[in-house]
Amino acid sequence: MAYLEAVRSFIIENFLFGDDAQLTEDTSFLEDGIVDSTGILELVAFLEETYDITVEDDELIPENMDRLNSIVRYLEKKLSDV
Amino acid sequence: MCGIAGICLLNNSGEISLEVLRRMTAALHHRGPDEAGIYLDHQVGLGHARLSIIDLSSGCQPIHNEDETLWIIYNGEVYNYVELKQELVEKGYSFYTTSDTEVVLQLYQEEGPDCLERLNGQFAMAIWDAKKQELFLARDRVGIRPLHYTIQNNALIFSSEIKSIFMVESVPREIDPIAMDQIFTFWTTLPGYTIFKNIHELPPGHYLKLSKGQIIVKRYWDFPLYPRYEHWDLSPYELSEQIRQLLLEAVRIRLRADVTVGSYLSGGLDSSGVTSLIVNNFNSEACTFGIRFEEEAFDEGDHQNRMVSFLKVNHREVHAHNKKIGSVFPEVVWHTEKPLLRTAPVPLFLLSRLVRENSLKVVLTGEGADEVFGGYNIFREAKVRRFWAKQPHSDRRSALIDTLYPYIFKNPRLQRSLHSFFSRGLNQIDDPFFSHLIRWENTSNIKKFFSQELQTQIGAYNGYEQLRQSLPAAYDQWDGLSQAQYLEIVLFLSNYLLSSQGDRMAMGNSVEIRLPFLDPNLMEFMGRVPSRWKILGLNEKHILKKSFTPLLPEEIIRRAKHPYRAPIKHSLLNENACAYTKEMLSESMLKKAGLFKADKVNLLIRKMLKVDQSREIDDMALVGILSSQLVYQQFVANFPHQFPRAISLDLVVDRRKTRSSTLIKLKRKN
């Protein structure tokens, strides 16, 4: 839950500029134009800095990064592996 | 090059004020600082501000025909006027000037609106037929020269620039929500629109006729593109030879002037090719002008220097420092008269200033080559995506996208995300906008900053649908590249590249640009060149490179295309620019203009200030919001109805107090 809220706030502040009306846990960032291709880098930088992790190249795929719930799943797995 | 302005009453009531015409003409002083003239009768008023280039001594306008029943004001050049004049002389016409303007007028007298198809040039004009009481307005094929009009209080008011129309105080100045929606989708307004409500643009390749109170707007030309079965069956060698000959002729007639003609030289293929044609054939001591940037990512200095030493031209360069770009941005928006999503026009404004400081007023440029010959990445991107769409799961096919955008893909971590980004709409290859949908939808994301009020005013308006309905009947028969070329020409070329980045940036410093790549004969020829020779594989402008091979160093031919861009964040959010950016983006100014949500804009600025390199979409949002605020401030909230600069008139023809057969010239400068 904590992951979800933190990532959600980051997305709302940095990509939606405060407007959370269209964002659900299952909204696709790419399809809905919320985070574009280069915005993914900002998202990754946020995750690496906030959770002190390194997102490996092969983890940087839409299946991990394109929705709030996929990011949460990814973080849960990543941080439990540590 | 010049500025034209006028008022025509729709019926016999009312009168036209000489003072208003003088003010409208004065607002165009930057377009024509050399001379000014006015024609006025009971029905019409015409104003002209002249930049003297051909016929320096006797070309003052308005110009009339032999019996003084036709009067013309004219902004532009017709390069084939020498040949046309010869024809007219043989038919018995005589001329009192040596200008191209008088040739255009007499040709109109001979052929009517059909004369437009005979003109090879760039122009916007107004012709008043005092006998028939008819006004004729026309604009060149691709829209190199601007012309706007509005209908207010029973009068048609027109001008090269909108600020001149606004000198008529009764004309309302209001931002058009529909135009805002268009700009924040297509990067510019659709043909016919301007950012201001009820101020229309006469679209390129159109004329307007006002007769007996009725206005007719008619297209006389459209960009020539043909289905495959009408393409040339010539070898690439034959094509490239013919193209070089056509370009040589296009350059030759564009050097016709009674003043020195220079050239822009960026170090890219197009301007290098044009300059090479000039130096090798017409003027071995040509003056050239180029832009330098302080950030390496934008700068083309090495290639520019290579061309300067190769051609041994007399080269000058302007350094477009980030702070400089920021500080002149408001002045640039004053000239573009519409919101921008890029700062790229600014260095061109600085460049034309350099031209003027070097006492030149005419330059040839390489604009138009990317549209005519297939140079843009968006064309290649569409080609790759069509190929990819046939096998959507193929990694090899999707990897072709990487080669198009090496500067984005330089970070291998992004590869999968970027492929997802570009795979959007792969199942829409039959959509007429397949090539452009990703760009437009991406740009549309900026609309989230629109205020609730603006969104309500836009309502259910759908720009795609409007554009779809304006496509030519043959559009479906064209191949993918031709369709993409058409969209790029109708939208980006006419309304942005030739306007905000072309005419307006040059005329802002009283400089005329001439564009050989948009020569009608060349465009007609290229319309029948098979697309595979335009982009061979993924090699853009292949056939043009082949044409230029004998003229240019191999490294210039082979260099990867360098998209011309200018810095945004470091230009607009620095301490030099911040005085006006802070003011324009303040909560109170945003609320006053009512276009954007102040809290969202505030978050955007805060975010951009935190990072060193901002995202492209954030950059575009910043430029779009700031320039819209400047348009509002300069044209709606705080428009100066009286310019500080008063103009002196060199020619006044005032027929109000006399019968129409009598002409009074109040003043004429020798």
Side-chain angles (χ1 to χ4, degrees):
Chain A
M1 201 62 183
Y3 300 149
L4 179 65
E5 278 318 305
V7 179
R8 191 182 155 81
S9 301
F10 175 79
I11 297 285
I12 289 170
E13 176 155 345
N14 285 274
F15 298 106
L16 294 170
F17 304 101
D19 186 357
D20 63 352
Q22 67 177 110
L23 186 65
T24 70
E25 287 175 39
D26 200 36
T27 305
S28 164
F29 299 155
L30 282 170
E31 278 172 26
D32 284 27
I34 294 171
V35 183
D36 64 13
S37 49
T38 48
I40 296 285
L41 274 189
E42 286 179 31
L43 175 61
V44 170
F46 165 77
L47 296 178
E48 292 187 331
E49 203 174 299
T50 309
Y51 299 105
D52 195 20
I53 54 172
T54 302
V55 179
E56 303 297 337
D57 288 359
D58 59 2
E59 294 170 338
L60 222 170
I61 51 177
E63 289 80 349
N64 287 338
M65 298 291 155
D66 191 43
R67 290 173 159 80
L68 280 177
N69 54 20
S70 27
I71 295 173
V72 170
R73 263 199 308 275
Y74 167 75
L75 284 175
E76 284 170 349
K77 182 164 186 311
K78 182 87 180 174
L79 289 164
S80 69
D81 288 348
V82 172
Chain B
M1 199 49 55
C2 313
I4 62 172
I7 300 174
C8 185
L9 302 177
L10 297 186
N11 56 34
N12 290 324
S13 64
E15 63 177 290
I16 299 162
S17 148
L18 177 65
E19 185 46 36
V20 170
L21 262 184
R22 183 198 287 264
R23 285 214 309 266
M24 289 179 76
T25 310
L28 300 172
H29 181 79
H30 54 283
R31 298 186 69 88
D34 297 335
E35 284 177 324
I38 277 176
Y39 169 95
L40 195 55
D41 68 18
H42 295 290
Q43 197 75 28
V44 80
L46 309 173
H48 187 262
R50 182 175 187 225
L51 182 67
S52 314
I53 288 169
I54 293 176
D55 187 5
L56 307 184
S57 59
S58 64
C60 190
Q61 299 185 33
I63 278 174
H64 58 80
N65 66 340
E66 205 165 1
D67 66 1
E68 296 175 1
T69 54
L70 291 177
W71 291 84
I72 184 169
I73 47 173
Y74 171 83
N75 163 209
E77 310 292 345
V78 165
Y79 305 114
N80 61 337
Y81 78 102
V82 178
E83 293 79 10
L84 293 170
K85 185 173 183 176
Q86 187 56 38
E87 268 184 45
L88 289 164
V89 167
E90 283 165 16
K91 284 180 179 165
Y93 283 88
S94 61
F95 295 83
Y96 75 100
T97 74
T98 57
S99 69
D100 57 331
T101 309
E102 194 182 1
V103 176
V104 172
L105 184 68
Q106 307 269 30
L107 194 67
Y108 177 79
Q109 179 168 350
E110 176 70 15
E111 300 183 4
D114 289 347
C115 76
L116 297 171
E117 291 170 38
R118 311 273 318 277
L119 307 180
N120 183 342
Q122 49 190 37
F123 52 82
M125 68 174 93
I127 295 174
W128 172 241
D129 186 329
K131 205 155 67 182
K132 290 187 192 161
Q133 300 276 290
E134 262 181 17
L135 180 72
F136 176 76
L137 304 180
R139 202 166 165 222
D140 64 63
R141 292 170 177 81
V142 283
I144 300 169
R145 297 299 151 208
L147 191 51
H148 303 92
Y149 66 97
T150 188
I151 295 155
Q152 291 291 330
N153 300 330
N154 211 27
L156 176 86
I157 305 164
F158 64 91
S159 182
S160 302
E161 297 192 15
I162 298 169
K163 55 182 75 69
S164 158
I165 292 177
F166 285 159
M167 296 312 280
V168 182
E169 291 193 34
S170 59
V171 174
R173 306 182 312 279
E174 205 181 326
I175 302 279
D176 183 356
I178 298 301
M180 284 292 284
D181 187 78
Q182 292 172 353
I183 289 173
F184 285 85
T185 306
F186 305 115
W187 296 12
T188 183
T189 46
L190 293 181
Y193 282 81
T194 73
I195 188 60
F196 301 104
K197 210 181 257 185
N198 295 322
I199 308 287
H200 314 286
E201 169 213 60
L202 183 63
H206 282 67
Y207 68 80
L208 178 155
K209 210 165 195 180
L210 168 57
S211 178
K212 299 183 178 68
Q214 297 295 312
I215 293 172
I216 301 165
V217 176
K218 198 170 170 192
R219 182 196 288 276
Y220 70 89
W221 186 89
D222 203 356
F223 192 82
L225 287 161
Y226 298 91
R228 281 197 182 93
Y229 58 84
E230 290 185 44
H231 284 174
W232 301 121
D233 185 18
L234 296 170
S235 72
Y237 174 77
E238 290 168 313
L239 290 170
S240 67
E241 288 295 306
Q242 289 209 34
I243 288 165
R244 196 165 57 250
Q245 283 310 311
L246 284 163
L247 267 170
L248 184 66
E249 177 62 9
V251 167
R252 184 182 74 83
I253 59 173
R254 276 163 187 76
L255 292 172
R256 284 177 171 166
D258 295 330
V259 296
T260 308
V261 178
S263 175
Y264 282 172
L265 180 62
S266 70
L269 180 75
D270 313 331
S271 62
S272 298
V274 166
T275 307
S276 180
L277 285 170
I278 296 172
V279 170
N280 291 340
N281 299 284
F282 308 109
N283 179 7
S284 58
E285 295 173 353
C287 285
T288 58
F289 301 88
I291 299 167
R292 300 296 306 274
F293 290 100
E294 65 188 283
E295 290 183 45
E296 202 182 327
F298 301 97
D299 192 52
E300 294 184 80
D302 290 347
H303 293 99
Q304 213 172 97
N305 291 338
R306 175 74 181 97
M307 280 310 300
V308 169
S309 57
F310 180 75
L311 293 174
K312 299 183 179 59
V313 284
N314 183 5
H315 189 69
R316 304 263 194 287
E317 53 190 34
V318 67
H319 288 262
H321 296 295
N322 291 350
K323 284 182 182 174
K324 188 81 186 159
I325 292 173
S327 63
V328 300
F329 189 67
E331 198 181 344
V332 160
V333 174
W334 171 251
H335 287 294
T336 64
E337 303 186 317
K338 70 170 71 128
L340 302 167
L341 298 177
R342 297 283 168 105
T343 50
V346 185
L348 284 157
F349 184 64
L350 300 174
L351 187 63
S352 69
R353 184 181 286 172
L354 178 73
V355 171
R356 197 66 195 187
E357 284 165 1
N358 281 273
S359 304
L360 264 71
K361 45 187 175 181
V362 184
V363 282
L364 267 58
T365 88
E367 304 292 5
D370 286 321
E371 288 79 2
V372 174
F373 286 88
Y376 286 125
N377 263 340
I378 200 165
F379 301 147
R380 298 198 300 160
E381 178 191 304
K383 189 171 181 179
V384 167
R385 291 175 68 245
R386 276 181 202 281
F387 177 68
W388 179 8
K390 290 179 189 161
Q391 297 283 340
H393 302 296
S394 160
D395 286 342
R396 289 198 173 172
R397 290 186 185 225
S398 64
L400 286 171
I401 282 282
D402 309 12
T403 61
L404 300 186
Y405 300 105
Y407 48 97
I408 308 179
F409 279 87
K410 66 184 176 211
N411 187 335
R413 288 158 66 83
L414 276 176
Q415 199 176 45
R416 287 286 301 274
S417 309
L418 281 163
H419 287 171
S420 291
F421 178 77
F422 285 109
S423 71
R424 286 186 305 167
L426 272 190
N427 55 352
Q428 293 172 300
I429 55 169
D430 293 329
D431 191 299
F433 302 145
F434 175 76
S435 55
H436 282 65
L437 276 175
I438 286 188
R439 177 195 281 180
W440 294 343
E441 285 177 9
N442 206 32
T443 307
S444 293
N445 281 323
I446 307 174
K447 290 181 213 167
K448 62 177 168 243
F449 292 98
F450 281 1
S451 68
Q452 195 55 53
E453 185 190 348
L454 182 59
Q455 287 178 14
T456 307
Q457 288 168 333
I458 293 166
Y461 170 76
N462 185 331
Y464 292 169
E465 196 45 46
Q466 186 169 359
L467 182 59
R468 210 182 299 272
Q469 284 171 11
S470 71
L471 296 176
Y475 187 86
D476 290 341
Q477 296 173 37
W478 299 341
D479 60 34
L481 176 61
S482 299
Q483 291 183 344
Q485 275 183 282
Y486 186 82
L487 295 175
E488 202 61 9
I489 285 159
V490 167
L491 299 173
F492 188 73
L493 177 73
S494 300
N495 253 335
Y496 173 78
L497 204 66
L498 297 178
S499 171
S500 299
Q501 204 164 292
D503 172 88
R504 302 309 185 90
M505 291 306 97
M507 291 311 309
N509 289 306
S510 313
V511 169
E512 170 178 309
I513 52 170
R514 296 181 172 186
L515 308 100
F517 286 108
L518 296 175
D519 181 277
N521 299 323
L522 180 67
M523 288 191 287
E524 182 62 36
F525 184 83
M526 285 306 299
R528 294 180 195 274
V529 171
S531 292
R532 68 178 182 282
W533 300 131
K534 292 175 184 164
I535 303 180
L536 182 66
L538 289 180
N539 183 17
E540 80 282 356
K541 290 189 286 197
H542 167 74
I543 202 72
L544 182 63
K545 289 175 182 169
K546 206 169 166 58
S547 297
F548 279 155
T549 295
L551 304 174
L552 297 176
E554 195 180 344
E555 69 207 72
I556 299 293
I557 298 283
R558 285 179 172 275
R559 71 176 285 211
K561 182 172 170 55
H562 180 98
Y564 167 70
R565 305 174 83 166
I568 291 178
K569 191 217 148 181
H570 294 295
S571 298
L572 299 179
L573 291 180
N574 64 48
E575 67 272 19
N576 219 31
C578 74
Y580 80 84
T581 45
K582 261 188 188 158
E583 187 196 344
M584 287 300 132
L585 302 177
S586 67
E587 189 173 343
S588 60
M589 281 301 291
L590 286 161
K591 284 191 169 156
K592 186 178 166 200
L595 301 171
F596 301 100
K597 289 177 179 155
D599 51 347
K600 278 197 170 189
V601 174
N602 188 29
L603 279 171
L604 171 73
I605 306 304
R606 262 174 41 194
K607 177 189 169 187
M608 290 183 77
L609 286 171
K610 271 194 290 192
V611 296
D612 182 50
Q613 287 298 331
S614 44
R615 288 191 309 149
E616 185 178 356
I617 191 72
D618 292 344
D619 280 348
M620 286 170 70
L622 173 68
V623 185
I625 294 164
L626 182 61
S627 56
S628 301
Q629 288 290 107
L630 285 165
V631 167
Y632 173 83
Q633 179 66 12
Q634 297 187 114
F635 291 95
V636 178
N638 204 17
F639 184 74
H641 277 295
Q642 197 68 260
F643 279 82
R645 187 188 288 125
I647 55 158
S648 68
L649 297 171
D650 302 281
L651 172 65
V652 175
V653 181
D654 190 343
R655 293 172 135 188
R656 286 174 303 176
K657 299 185 189 101
T658 60
R659 300 311 300 167
S660 59
S661 59
T662 314
L663 167 72
I664 302 171
K665 288 179 186 171
L666 292 181
K667 182 182 164 197
R668 182 104 199 206
K669 191 167 76 177
N670 292 316

